[in-house]
Every structure is written in C-alpha cells, then in structure tokens.
Amino acid sequence: MKGLRVLPGGRPGRGRLYVNLPDGRAVAWYDRQANRISILADDQREAILAVLRPYLSGTVTIGPPPVPTAADLAGLALPPDADLAPNRPGETLLGELEHGPAGTRARHRLRQDLLAQQRMGDTFDALEADGWRILHCVPVPGMGRIDHLLIGPAGIFCVRTVPGRRQRAVAGDLLLAVGRAEPRPDPRWTRRAAARATRALTAQVTPALAVVDASRVEVAPTLRDIRVLQPPTATTDLTSSPTALKPPDIETLFTLARDTRTWLGPNAGRSSPAWGSPRTESGGV
C-alpha cells in the first residue's frame, strides 16, 4: 500500500519503529530489541514488510501484537510531553551549551560534562540487551537532574557522571577530587538524589558515581554505600551483580520512572531541601 510511513519512537536507534498510515494511524511496529514485527492490519502485511525491510536484521519474528501487560498499557497512556524515555544522554547540557555562559572556561567544563555523559550513556544503553531499562536526564526538583537512572536485574542505580580529564580521581565519603581541581561534593549529591528516587519509586535506589576517562580512580575503603563505575568495565560490574529484580518488576518501575509526573508531582521530594544546580556545587557545600 502506498503512503505508509516509518516513524521512530523512543531514543534514536533504540526505540520502536512505527508504520503509520497517511492519517497517522499505526498499522504495525518493529521492536528492535526483541527483533519482532507486530502487525495490526494483516491485510497490509506485504506492504508493511516492504517499508520495514531496510531496517531489519537477522531473524525477525512476525505476528499480532502480544497481549499488553499493565506496564505496557500505562506506557501507552503516557502523554508524549511527560515521557522521559526519549531523552538522550546529556540532553539538557546541549541546550546549556547553546544558550549558556559565554566564557571559554565555563563552556569547556560544560563540554567535558556533556562528552562524559554521552560516553557513559552509550555504555549504559548497551545494557538494554541484558534486560535493563535506562533513562537519562531525570529531573529532580531543587537538585537539577539525575544523569542516568538504571533499572535492571541488579536493582536501580542513580548515576552521577564525572569527567576524569585523564587525571587521578579520588572518591571519598563526602567529596570527589579530580587532579588538582577543587574537590566536589558528588558523593553527597548522588546519595541525596538516590534517596529522592527511592521515595519517588517506592523502591530501593543505589547511589553511583561514573568516572569517565580518569588516568586512575582511587576509592576510599570507607565508601561502601556508593557504587563507583568506570568504562569499559561498568556493564560487566552491573551484569555480574546478584539478581534483585524480575523482568515484570523492571518494566513496572521503568513505566513509573519515565513519567515526569513521578518526579515533578506535588509531593515529589517535599522533605528534602534544594541543593541548587548540580553542576555548580562547590566543595564547601
């Protein structure tokens, strides 16, 4: 049938591909992760396969849509402007670079933060093949945004990303120092953010620090409540951890977490004071 259009859903290259009629109605979708085509209009099967053929790889399963779970139905009912799932790593920093400070030093720091979040985000996104669900740039009132929220078999992790700048990084109980720069309160920040996420999701969230491109990372022996992750071993560290969540729980928590109203609702974080912008904190906080 002429006029069928293929439109992406979710993050570029990772979400579903929808096949729509000219009036916008979906007649099929291709789930890249499951490598499955779900067809809603069987009389248009050949036309649907023809327009999707350039996007397919490997052995593809074709059939009617699977019976939706409660999490699926909740996700379908989510307004597009309330959905965090399409967020790319470092999404908000792109806007800050475009409209933010004009100073060369400030822009350089923003660019370092952006590159670190993008690299770590790509690393975390690769976990989706192992049953993980990933969100980026999750808003937390008064604290800025959680860089990455990971929901998977090993549990839920609130990740703060720090550029190592090819220098020695030292993570302590309260501060993290990179090279000779003034130490930053990243450990304290990610603890607070994880506590807020625990309340929002009513499930235990583990704080984590992702240190990118450091020459070496030293972790204080007393720092036991925060996971310290580094590429390229971060995914192995997480996938080798003991199982804490089953697939249905992962999907339910992901559906809750992707809704901005979970984080920005009237009761979100009401018991925690604001810490200000997460990228402008100083070691004296």
Side-chain angles (χ1 to χ4, degrees):
M1 178 179 177
K2 294 182 180 180
L4 292 180
R5 295 185 301 167
V6 178
L7 299 174
R11 288 196 300 280
R14 294 192 175 273
R16 290 176 173 176
L17 291 177
Y18 287 91
V19 181
N20 290 1
L21 294 170
D23 63 5
R25 286 181 297 154
V27 292
W29 67 80
Y30 171 44
D31 188 327
R32 299 186 226 209
Q33 185 174 343
N35 214 18
R36 174 187 170 87
I37 299 174
S38 296
I39 297 180
L40 298 171
D42 198 59
D43 60 323
Q44 299 177 32
R45 182 187 184 99
E46 294 305 319
I48 290 167
L49 295 179
V51 296
L52 282 175
R53 191 164 289 120
Y55 306 97
L56 305 180
S57 62
T59 303
V60 180
T61 303
I62 304 170
V67 177
T69 64
D72 292 332
L73 293 174
L76 290 170
L78 186 62
D81 60 353
D83 192 359
L84 296 172
N87 282 2
R88 297 165 295 174
E91 183 97 31
T92 54
L93 294 182
L94 290 168
E96 290 185 38
L97 275 171
E98 184 177 352
H99 306 291
T104 302
R105 184 175 181 182
R107 290 184 66 81
H108 179 65
R109 287 182 178 274
L110 278 176
R111 194 171 292 109
Q112 286 182 325
D113 285 333
L114 173 61
L115 292 175
Q117 287 190 35
Q118 288 176 332
R119 181 178 177 191
M120 210 65 231
D122 290 342
T123 298
F124 291 142
D125 284 344
L127 286 167
E128 290 184 348
D130 295 308
W132 290 72
R133 305 292 265 163
I134 315 298
L135 291 171
H136 307 288
C137 300
V138 177
V140 182
M143 296 183 66
R145 292 177 183 261
I146 295 170
D147 295 337
H148 318 282
L149 189 74
L150 319 181
I151 305 173
I156 311 173
F157 296 85
C158 163
V159 184
R160 169 82 152 184
T161 302
V162 180
R165 303 194 296 272
R166 298 182 181 178
Q167 300 181 63
R168 169 175 168 260
V170 180
D173 289 337
L174 302 178
L175 302 173
L176 186 145
V178 176
R180 297 183 179 180
E182 184 178 5
R184 308 188 330 179
D186 296 293
R188 285 184 285 173
W189 191 95
T190 194
R191 280 194 192 97
R192 304 276 306 225
R196 294 275 285 272
T198 294
R199 289 196 293 274
L201 301 176
T202 61
Q204 184 61 45
V205 178
T206 300
L209 292 170
V211 185
V212 182
D213 288 332
S215 60
R216 72 176 186 274
V217 178
E218 299 176 8
V219 181
T222 53
L223 186 63
R224 300 188 181 116
D225 62 324
I226 296 177
R227 291 285 289 268
V228 179
L229 306 169
Q230 304 174 67
T233 61
T235 54
T236 304
D237 292 345
L238 292 168
T239 55
S240 62
S241 299
T243 299
L245 294 174
K246 297 179 180 179
D249 300 323
I250 293 170
E251 291 303 319
T252 299
L253 287 164
F254 175 70
T255 299
L256 180 62
R258 68 190 287 188
D259 189 340
T260 57
R261 295 167 295 187
T262 298
W263 309 94
L264 304 179
N267 296 324
R270 63 182 178 184
S271 62
S272 294
W275 267 41
S277 172
R279 297 296 167 190
T280 58
E281 296 163 358
S282 68
V285 173

